[in-house]
Amino acid sequence: AQRVTQPEKLLSVFKGAPVELKCNYSYSGSPELFWYVQYSRQRLQLLLRHISRESIKGFTADLNKGETSFHLKKPFAQEEDSAMYYCALKDRQGAQKLVFGQGTRLTINP
Amino acid sequence: SQTIHQWPATLVQPVGSPLSLECTVEGTSNPNLYWYRQAAGRGLQLLFYSVGIGQISSEVPQNLSASRPQDRQFILSSKKLLLSDSGFYLCAWSSYGYTFGSGTRLTVV
């Protein structure tokens, strides 16, 4: 069965420090993975997807099939990065459902 | 452009009362539609999805039901709310990517 695990519910780092939000997945097939972000009082929105191999707002995420991980990283955290982050996996069959992790609330301290 | 509307934004309902949350999509046809719930400390859980009019699939057994009376309308309902139905409900549609509505915060008292 598809599963996404984010082991940290809360993560707090200081401004300028590196950030890594962990995500592990379980999927029988070739996965398609995403990171979504929800800033305070805003809608849940796409941050990045692994197939694009892009960097958004300084964040990157590399798919590691050997470790079944898709960790989100940023070398220097900024206060505006404080938000709720969700890792998600798309089930490519049927209705293309998104399976989400539990989410990690990231707080950047000044 | 494609947009998704979800209402109401907040709702406080007594236990045992009915529920109807509505979601509509504009600018696309035959979208896949989804209802998610974001309960405190439990992340985002898929409740229902629909690939077409009248087609509803349930992901988890619960006190809620969903309907899709029109191509771009998705409704979440309950005949009698429970305290455990409290949470933040999100509607979404997908084509290439997912777009989420602004959500409804439901408090059952």
Side-chain angles (χ1 to χ4, degrees), chain A residues 40-77:
Chain A
S40 179
R41 301 182 186 279
Q42 293 188 28
R43 297 186 184 202
L44 190 63
Q45 57 188 283
L46 178 66
L47 180 62
L48 54 80
R49 63 189 80 196
H50 91 269
I51 58 174
S52 301
R53 302 185 67 83
E54 58 202 343
S55 174
I56 303 295
K57 298 184 179 183
F59 284 97
T60 59
D62 291 319
L63 177 62
N64 186 322
K65 292 187 178 180
E67 295 182 359
T68 60
S69 68
F70 188 55
H71 303 326
L72 183 68
K73 300 178 183 179
K74 184 169 182 176
F76 307 105

Side-chain angles (χ1 to χ4, degrees), chain B residues 36-56:
Chain B
Y36 283 87
R37 177 167 59 198
Q38 190 177 28
R42 298 185 64 181
L44 276 166
Q45 182 183 36
L46 179 62
L47 302 176
F48 301 95
Y49 66 92
S50 172
V51 299
I53 296 174
Q55 299 180 60
I56 306 295

Side-chain angles (χ1 to χ4, degrees), chain A residues 23-50:
Chain A
C23 172
N24 289 88
Y25 67 89
S26 174
Y27 186 64
S28 56
S30 184
E32 188 174 349
L33 288 152
F34 306 81
W35 276 99
Y36 280 82
V37 61
Q38 190 170 26
Y39 301 103
S40 179
R41 301 182 186 279
Q42 293 188 28
R43 297 186 184 202
L44 190 63
Q45 57 188 283
L46 178 66
L47 180 62
L48 54 80
R49 63 189 80 196
H50 91 269

